Every structure is written in structure tokens, then in C-alpha cells.
Amino acid sequence: MGELIYNTNIHQDWISLIFLFNLILFVMLNYINHERFLDILRIFSSSLYIGKYANDHNYNYLERFNFVSFLFIVNTVGLFLLRINNYIFNPIDNAIEFYYYLATIFSIIIIRFFINQFILRYLKLINIINIFLFKSFTNNTRTAFFLLILLFIDRYTIDAFFSQLLTLLIVILGLWLFNQLKIIFSFIKSQPSNLFYLIFYLCNIKIAPWMWLYILFLETRL
């Protein structure tokens, strides 16, 4: 048990504030809707969760639980990209630079969301797609919970557990990808006539923004 010790960097105390902010968001989700909060943590009852909460009220992403979940997802993605950057490239040593990248991530996701909503409404597909978007959002929220725990352990323990943490990371990301593919294939199966939209969505709405993020976030550090 000697390896499990506190690993700190006095020059990056601002990262602790990011974790604290996510902890506050985590508590807020429990406060906003305790029952839904517990249900979303039950990873083996996804179909029950979707059946219970997939409704017009929860399709509104400005609804409190959804909005806080969105902030939680963005913040966790920011921490995850920070960890990747610090491992592969020169570490980010100040909060201002991290907040810049976090704001970039936030902006990309917001812009992508509104473009997606505009296209769906224009094509009159919003009522058809809502359930699949909700499933994807649920998968992202649930994954962010467990990813944050992993990032926290990685941040505050020494490197002795790196291989174990990497294995868990691969498992978490693998499960996320598996669930996303399940959602995509269920859409194809139920809406084969809208396959063109799916291709457009994947190439232009889902993938392209992250290519821009790669250019802004990583390419400049090569």
C-alpha cells in the first residue's frame, strides 16, 4: 500500500480547483434529481433508464439536470485532454492556457449542438432523432462520471499504478465507443431511409469539430 500516496504539484494547484468544480457539479446533480442521479449510475440498467426518462421534458438540454450534466461532461473532457497533452507534449503549467482550451471545447460543442438542432428541425427529423440524442447524451454523462474518478486517481497518486489506470481507461473508452455504436446501429435499423443524414451527421457534425479541436489543441504543440 506504500505506493498509494499523495502526488502533488505546487505549480498546478489550479487543477485541484477544476476537480473541485466537478465535485460541486456532481453534488448538484444529486440535489436536482436524486432518483435520476442514482439511476444514471446503474450502468447495467440503461434500457430501464431510457424508458423512464426519455420524454419531452428531458429532451430539453436547458433543463437543469441536463445542463449541469453538460457542464460536467465538458469539464471532464477538458481534464482528459489536459492529461493526454501533459503526457505526450509539453505540460500546460498555467490555468489561463487551460481555460482557453476549455472555452474552445465548450464553444465547439455548443456550436455543434445548435447546428445539429437547426438541421434536424429543417429536415423535420427532430422528433425522430430525439431519443437517439438522449441515449448518446446519457452515455456521455455516465462515461464522464467514471472517467473523472479515473483522472482523479491518476492525478493524486504516483505513477506506480499507470498500467492499471491505462487498462481501466481503455475499458471505459471501449464501453463508451461500444454504446455509441449500438446507438448508431439502432438508428440505422429503425430509420434506414435517413441513412444519408446519419452519414452527414457523423462526418460533419460529430467528427469535423474534433478535427478542428485537434488542430487548435494538439497540432500547435507538435
Side-chain angles (χ1 to χ4, degrees), residues 20-21 25 39 43 54 56 79 89-90 93 95 98 107 113 121 126-127 136 139 168-169 176 185 197 205 209:
L20 177 61
F21 180 65
L25 294 176
D39 287 341
I43 60 176
D56 290 339
L79 287 169
F89 306 104
N90 295 326
D93 294 321
F98 174 75
S107 300
F113 173 78
R121 294 185 187 281
I126 188 70
N127 292 329
S136 179
N139 184 38
L168 288 174
L169 174 62
W176 173 84
F185 286 125
Y197 167 75
I205 307 299

Side-chain angles (χ1 to χ4, degrees), residues 89-173:
F89 306 104
N90 295 326
I92 294 176
D93 294 321
N94 62 83
I96 299 300
E97 189 176 2
F98 174 75
Y99 295 148
Y100 164 74
Y101 289 122
L102 191 63
T104 302
I105 296 170
F106 185 85
S107 300
I108 287 175
I109 295 177
I110 287 291
I111 293 171
R112 187 185 71 172
F113 173 78
F114 282 111
I115 291 175
N116 189 39
Q117 290 291 303
F118 173 78
I119 294 173
L120 286 174
R121 294 185 187 281
Y122 179 78
L123 297 177
K124 298 181 180 179
L125 293 173
I126 188 70
N127 292 329
I128 297 174
I129 302 296
N130 266 335
I131 180 63
F132 300 101
L133 294 178
F134 184 74
K135 288 179 179 180
S136 179
F137 184 75
T138 299
N139 184 38
N140 293 338
T141 304
R142 182 177 287 146
T143 302
F145 287 151
F146 297 102
L147 181 59
L148 182 69
I149 294 173
L150 194 62
L151 291 170
F152 182 86
I153 295 173
D154 175 66
R155 171 66 187 170
Y156 294 106
T157 59
I158 61 175
D159 295 335
F161 297 101
F162 178 78
S163 59
Q164 294 93 327
L165 293 174
L166 181 60
T167 301
L168 288 174
L169 174 62
I170 293 173
V171 170
I172 290 173
L173 295 182

Side-chain angles (χ1 to χ4, degrees), residues 42-79:
R42 298 187 176 101
I43 60 176
F44 298 110
S45 60
S46 294
S47 58
L48 294 176
Y49 178 88
I50 297 299
K52 186 175 182 179
Y53 296 103
N55 52 58
D56 290 339
H57 174 71
N58 291 324
Y59 292 156
N60 176 16
Y61 293 97
L62 293 179
E63 185 270 333
R64 288 189 303 164
F65 191 94
N66 289 337
F67 183 72
V68 175
S69 295
F70 169 73
L71 294 178
F72 188 89
I73 293 169
V74 173
N75 211 36
T76 302
V77 169
L79 287 169

Side-chain angles (χ1 to χ4, degrees), residues 187 194-207:
F187 173 81
N194 292 315
L195 185 59
F196 172 78
Y197 167 75
L198 177 65
I199 297 173
F200 173 83
Y201 174 76
L202 290 176
C203 295
N204 294 282
I205 307 299
K206 201 75 172 176
I207 299 175

